[in-house]
Amino acid sequence: MKSRALAASVLILAAVVVVGSAAPALGQKKRVVLACSQATSSFYTQCVAVAQVINEQVPALDVSVMETGGAVASMKLLLNERADIALTTTDQAYLAWHGLENWKETPFKDIRALVYTTSSANYLIVREDSGIQNIQGLSGKKFNPGMRGSSTEKLTQMVLEDLGITPDWQRMAASDAVAGIIDNRLVGYAKVGSGFAFDGPTMEIAAKTKIRVLPFTEAEAKKSRTKHPFLSWAKVPANTIKGLGEFWTPAVSSGFTVRKSFPAELAYAVIKAVSSEKGAATVKAAFPGFTADPGKLTVDVATSPLHVGVLRYVVDKGQQVSGDLVPPEKK
């Protein structure tokens, strides 16, 4: 793969990197940039663990993790060939592939699913002393929809707009949102957990002030699905959140995508490494929400075509693949 200005092969890149698609010289490692999220996000720890697994199990690759503003920002870097692998959510992959909404001006027809690794709840969380009891109470209140540039930000805004709820949106980095809630400058924020569990930033807030998770009803979930059927929703089991029975909340199925030019044999090797017993154990230790079967989850939740190397891997594993996931170059 061509490389123009690749910084260092450390896990956090200090500079913007420009990459291409040609193969490295014989015996030379292929340097790969994995665009992730902000370092304060639980997804960043997952990215670092995935990079570690790839570096250990795929000798041809040397993966470095780039800190970004989130999945949308990472996917834009992938589109513009400034990253080779991008943290991605299924809703944004769908929009990018179809050229809709925030991807209308820059459709991403070369996006290909590499591996999906988790489905996690997107909780809408407020200070308990805000007095807000339900999502309707967010209208007109200072609320952060997710860190700036992230898929969480887009998802939260989309769902609340579907339901006619208009908070006073406060857009900022995750660390600023955490500080704003603790200091009572914001009533709350939207934050994806690790599976159904709270992630680190939410636990930090909960250690300083009492918080409340705002549940969605089944009727609200259905109303949003009618307008945006590609969005994921999760039914959270009773008592997962103390004091709450079973409830619905938006969900984020996330993983990693590449461009179709990513070498097929390397895409195969990557999903194989991440799905291996050793690889899965490494990632799960860092990110408890990691799925037990990445290959199956990839086929179950992908909303854009699979990479040809990934297609071969899941077929080798006996997975049935629907026609819409078969990339055009294989049809």
Side-chain angles (χ1 to χ4, degrees), residues 20 48 61-62 65 95 130 142 177 209 227 242 271 273 281 300:
V48 171
L61 294 180
D62 178 12
V65 178
L95 295 173
S130 69
K142 292 179 184 279
T209 186
K227 297 184 178 182
K242 187 177 179 180
I271 188 172
D300 288 347

Side-chain angles (χ1 to χ4, degrees), residues 125-174:
I125 297 165
V126 296
R127 292 176 58 104
E128 190 175 88
D129 61 10
S130 69
I132 298 171
Q133 301 287 333
N134 52 47
I135 57 171
Q136 287 75 21
L138 290 173
S139 286
K141 300 294 172 52
K142 292 179 184 279
F143 185 79
N144 171 247
M147 65 184 180
R148 189 191 302 273
S150 69
S151 59
T152 302
E153 178 186 52
K154 304 296 184 187
L155 169 62
T156 304
Q157 184 170 332
M158 202 179 300
V159 167
L160 292 186
E161 285 178 352
D162 288 345
L163 301 176
I165 299 167
T166 309
D168 179 1
W169 297 119
Q170 302 293 305
R171 305 184 192 280
M172 60 192 71

Side-chain angles (χ1 to χ4, degrees), residues 76 79-80 95-109:
K76 294 288 187 181
L79 171 67
N80 295 322
L95 295 173
W97 166 247
H98 291 282
L100 299 173
E101 300 198 13
N102 51 304
W103 293 89
K104 187 174 182 180
E105 301 300 322
T106 55
F108 194 174
K109 300 305 290 185

Side-chain angles (χ1 to χ4, degrees), residues 174-208:
S175 57
D176 293 333
V178 169
I181 296 167
I182 292 172
D183 295 344
N184 204 16
R185 289 178 284 113
L186 304 177
V187 297
Y189 76 163
K191 195 69 174 71
V192 175
S194 177
F196 286 135
F198 289 151
D199 71 348
T202 299
M203 295 298 291
E204 180 184 349
I205 296 169
K208 302 287 180 63

Side-chain angles (χ1 to χ4, degrees), residues 295-317:
K296 183 178 185 303
L297 183 65
T298 299
V299 172
D300 288 347
V301 305
T303 54
S304 62
L306 306 180
H307 189 280
V308 291
V310 174
L311 176 65
R312 181 164 66 87
Y313 174 83
V314 295
V315 169
D316 285 352
K317 290 295 182 180

Side-chain angles (χ1 to χ4, degrees), residues 208-227:
K208 302 287 180 63
T209 186
K210 290 183 179 181
I211 60 175
R212 175 180 291 124
V213 173
L214 302 179
F216 289 77
T217 65
E218 185 172 4
E220 288 165 340
K222 285 181 177 179
K223 183 175 181 180
S224 178
R225 273 202 207 103
T226 300
K227 297 184 178 182

Side-chain angles (χ1 to χ4, degrees), residues 258-280:
V258 293
R259 294 183 300 278
K260 72 176 184 180
S261 59
F262 195 83
E265 69 278 7
L266 294 180
Y268 187 104
V270 167
I271 188 172
K272 180 180 179 181
V274 173
S275 302
S276 69
E277 184 177 351
K278 181 180 179 182

